[in-house]
Every structure is written in C-alpha cells, then in structure tokens.
Amino acid sequence: MAATVDIHALVGAYALDAVDDIERAAFERHLRDCESCTTEVAELRETTAWLAQPVAEAPPPRMRDAVLARVHSTPQERPKAAAASGRSGRRSLVRTWIVGVAASVVFAGAASAGTYAITQQQYAAQSASIDAVLAAADARLVSTQVEGGVVTMVVSPSHDAGVAVLNGLKKPEGSYQLWMISTSSSGDKSYRPLDVTDSGSGRFYVKGLAPEFGVSKEPRGGSKTGHPAEVVGGLTLR
C-alpha cells in the first residue's frame, strides 16, 4: 500500500517546476483552497529569482581568479544512485538548486556593499554558512515592501541565522543599514547593527537572530550612534 503524501510538502518542488503532471494537477487543485501554500509558492518563486539576479557591479578579476582556483582544486562528487522515491529525489533537486545559487549570493552581496577585499577562505566560510541556512529543514521566508522594493529574509532558527535579500530599494542619499531588534518587557528596544550598503539591492548573511529585523536610512557609512536614524521597514522573525 502506497504511503500517504502530505500535499503541502510539494510546495518547493511545485515552485521550481519539479513535479510531474499528476502532482501538478493535484497541487493546483490544492492551491485553490490553501492560502498559506499559495503565499509560500509566490515567495519561493520571487526569492529564488532575486537570488539568481546579478548586481550592477562586476567583481574584480582577483575575485574571479580565486573562485576558479577553488573550483579546480575541489573534488567533484560522483553521481549517486537514484533514490527509491521519485518525490524524495525531486526534493533533493529543489534543495540542490537553491543551495547552488548561494555562491552567486556571496559574491553579489560583497559587490553591492563594495567589500571587494574578500579572501578565498572568507568566501568558503560565508558560502558554507549561506548553504546551511538555505538547505535547513526549518528554513522559512518572510518579506515586506520597503522604499519601493522588497526586503526578504530566509531564516533558519536551528542555525540561529538568516540570509537577507534587498531587491529594488531606492538608492539612498547615504546608506542603508540592517539591524536585529529586540524589545524588553518594559517596551524598550535594543538594536544590534549589521551590514551597511550604499545600494538598494544586495544579499547578506546574518548570524544571530532576534525577534525583529529592520532596515534604516543612515549617513554614508552607517549609524554613528549605534541606533537607527530612520527605520524604513522591518520584519517579524519570531
């Protein structure tokens, strides 16, 4: 007797067109009555598209050389036997596709922030951290509109980390700064400053989650006080 399949588990495969015709028809019937799956499909499609987009600034030649050197020195995994379940194979394909995009995320984020002085070791460490978040079983998406664009985070509570994606925000006169925000029982907010970018698009690895994530407008170079000058958008993470 075939095992019962949770239709909700097909959301990732459907978003990446990794289902067969029967599963597609069944899932599309399910979408008519499931608002949460409809929203998740839309968010997955948007976010994977953003992760794959190039940024305007090209990385310098030394960064390209470092990546190619690592590719040539890294043994490639041999193909494995197909899994007994076609569905589990598709889930693996979905996860592999998302994780494969992560390499471009690291360099795109570095380029958008103007931080070109990245070593091969730094790239490898950050790439592995982003891979872990995107591939985590508990990874989820949250997003909101900010300054004419969209801010999205892929968060993994089990890794206490996330990947923040800024897409299409208006170019600031100064800089945008990212923050983790906590609120005490008395209502006082505490702010932990994260990355600063002069661009309205970029990708950033964030270690250490708080209940809220915020984006602020700051003077060029970021906050001078340790507090945001003007919060323009935020996300609830917990």
Side-chain angles (χ1 to χ4, degrees):
M1 181 176 178
T4 301
V5 176
D6 180 4
I7 192 71
H8 299 272
L10 290 177
V11 64
Y14 178 82
L16 296 178
D17 197 26
V19 292
D20 59 32
D21 291 340
I22 295 175
E23 289 171 332
R24 179 178 293 104
F27 193 75
E28 288 176 349
R29 286 196 300 271
H30 169 71
L31 286 178
R32 298 170 191 167
D33 302 313
C34 184
E35 183 177 352
S36 64
C37 280
T38 300
T39 300
E40 189 173 356
V41 166
E43 290 176 341
L44 277 170
R45 284 176 169 170
E46 290 174 357
T47 300
T48 50
W50 297 335
L51 289 174
Q53 288 177 0
V55 294
E57 298 127 308
R62 64 179 178 275
M63 184 181 291
R64 177 179 180 274
D65 293 341
V67 175
L68 291 177
R70 186 164 186 86
V71 169
H72 287 304
S73 65
T74 302
Q76 302 301 305
E77 184 176 359
R78 294 182 180 276
K80 296 180 179 179
S85 167
R87 183 168 294 105
S88 64
R90 279 188 293 276
R91 289 178 187 166
S92 177
L93 173 64
V94 171
R95 176 168 292 184
T96 300
W97 188 92
I98 294 175
V99 170
V101 174
S104 65
V105 174
V106 176
F107 286 131
S112 68
T115 53
Y116 290 136
I118 183 171
T119 67
Q120 183 175 342
Q121 290 77 14
Q122 288 172 323
Y123 161 71
Q126 191 173 28
S127 177
S129 297
I130 290 176
D131 287 357
V133 171
L134 298 181
D138 63 344
R140 63 186 181 87
L141 299 171
V142 285
S143 63
T144 188
Q145 294 185 344
V146 176
E147 291 292 299
V150 179
V151 173
T152 299
M153 279 200 73
V154 182
V155 295
S156 170
S158 65
H159 288 81
D160 191 28
V163 179
V165 182
L166 276 60
N167 184 62
L169 279 65
K170 297 176 184 176
K171 187 173 178 62
E173 293 183 4
S175 299
Y176 286 118
Q177 182 150 12
L178 313 183
W179 303 83
M180 279 295 162
I181 307 171
S182 300
T183 305
S184 69
S185 57
S186 61
D188 296 327
K189 289 185 178 294
S190 61
Y191 299 90
R192 177 163 59 89
L194 304 171
D195 289 284
V196 176
T197 176
D198 297 337
S199 171
S201 296
R203 294 83 166 176
F204 309 90
Y205 174 71
V206 178
K207 179 62 178 176
L209 300 177
E212 297 176 67
F213 171 81
V215 179
S216 68
K217 285 182 177 179
E218 304 292 339
R220 189 168 299 277
S223 173
K224 312 303 181 186
T225 65
H227 289 77
E230 180 188 356
V231 176
V232 293
L235 297 165
T236 299
L237 304 182
R238 296 179 184 171

